[in-house]
Amino acid sequence: MLEAGADVVHFDVMDNHFVPNLTIGPLVCEALRKHGVTAPIDVHLMIEPVDRIVPDFAKAGASYITFHPEASVHIDRTLQLIRDQGCKAGLVFNPGTPLHYLDYVMDKLDMILLMSVNPGFGGQSFIPSALDKLRQVRKRIDDSGFDIRLEIDGGVKTDNIRQIKEAGADTFVAGSAIFNQPDYHKVIAEMRAEMAKVG
Ligand code: ZN
């Protein structure tokens, strides 16, 4: 996938508790690094609790660690913990999660990830209300003056990526849209061409 033009490895960690599915942990992250992956690894934690496993992912080579505010009792502390471990920190918002969790922690964020599906499974369709939420978060980031990436995760495809970029996203997670096609180069090139149409 990296050879085909992807910039970042998005790494979905699910625990069958915070979300109804089970995926991979720090050992697989470490294995990617040992395999020679030098691209940023963007660890999206869909787990509860969060803090105990943060140092494990930092040691395993994570670049970004993001978590859901509902999954941590002390959001400010968890963000600080991630940065103290040498990683970039981020918060993730489910489609129904309000943005007020951002109110007092903008200075501790390197990434804001908006879910455009409910987390747990690949292959779901993009929830349109995510576009308005993207615009709201874009404004919050611009008003804050901080250098914070705005990432979107869920149902991103060639035919909606332009709209998503127009709404303010700068980082795009695509899974089945690419994996389900025979030619990864071609899909990623088409996505980049669509994004290039945005001024
Ligand atoms: Zn994800």
Side-chain angles (χ1 to χ4, degrees):
M1 202 55 83
L2 290 165
E3 280 170 17
D7 300 309
V8 173
V9 177
H10 185 77
F11 194 94
D12 280 327
V13 184
M14 304 184 188
D15 67 351
N16 186 39
H17 171 73
F18 183 69
V19 292
N21 204 347
L22 191 61
T23 59
I24 47 183
L27 286 176
V28 177
C29 185
E30 191 183 356
L32 289 179
R33 289 300 186 208
K34 284 184 176 160
H35 185 66
V37 170
T38 55
I41 298 179
D42 169 27
V43 174
H44 172 193
L45 297 179
M46 288 164 271
I47 63 168
E48 185 181 8
V50 179
D51 292 12
R52 221 267 332 134
I53 210 158
V54 164
D56 296 3
F57 272 105
K59 278 190 209 83
S63 311
Y64 289 86
I65 299 178
T66 64
F67 65 97
H68 291 251
E70 303 95 324
S72 173
V73 178
H74 304 287
I75 296 167
D76 182 276
R77 177 192 286 163
T78 303
L79 289 169
Q80 195 59 57
L81 171 67
I82 293 169
R83 282 191 169 174
D84 287 348
Q85 293 289 316
C87 299
K88 292 183 174 175
L91 280 181
V92 192
F93 293 82
N94 282 333
T97 304
L99 295 175
H100 64 68
Y101 288 106
L102 293 171
D103 286 352
Y104 302 103
V105 295
M106 290 298 278
D107 60 326
K108 296 194 169 67
L109 292 173
D110 302 293
M111 171 93 86
I112 297 168
L113 169 52
L114 295 191
M115 294 301 301
S116 37
V117 300
N118 285 293
F121 301 94
Q124 302 182 71
S125 297
F126 188 89
I127 296 173
S129 63
L131 291 173
D132 189 48
K133 210 169 181 184
L134 272 173
R135 287 182 205 105
Q136 291 179 43
V137 177
R138 178 80 266 159
K139 185 171 185 321
R140 281 187 183 235
I141 292 173
D142 292 347
D143 290 349
S144 79
F146 291 111
D147 180 18
I148 303 172
R149 290 179 85 137
L150 178 50
E151 183 175 39
I152 188 91
D153 186 2
V156 176
K157 294 189 171 78
T158 305
D159 62 15
N160 62 13
I161 199 165
R162 178 180 176 178
Q163 240 187 328
I164 294 167
K165 188 178 179 195
E166 279 168 347
D170 55 32
T171 307
F172 308 83
V173 178
S176 40
I178 302 173
F179 284 115
N180 289 349
Q181 298 294 325
D183 187 342
Y184 300 161
H185 277 95
K186 185 166 170 278
V187 190
I188 293 176
E190 284 168 358
M191 286 179 163
R192 287 195 188 281
E194 279 299 308
M195 287 191 285
K197 292 176 187 170
V198 183

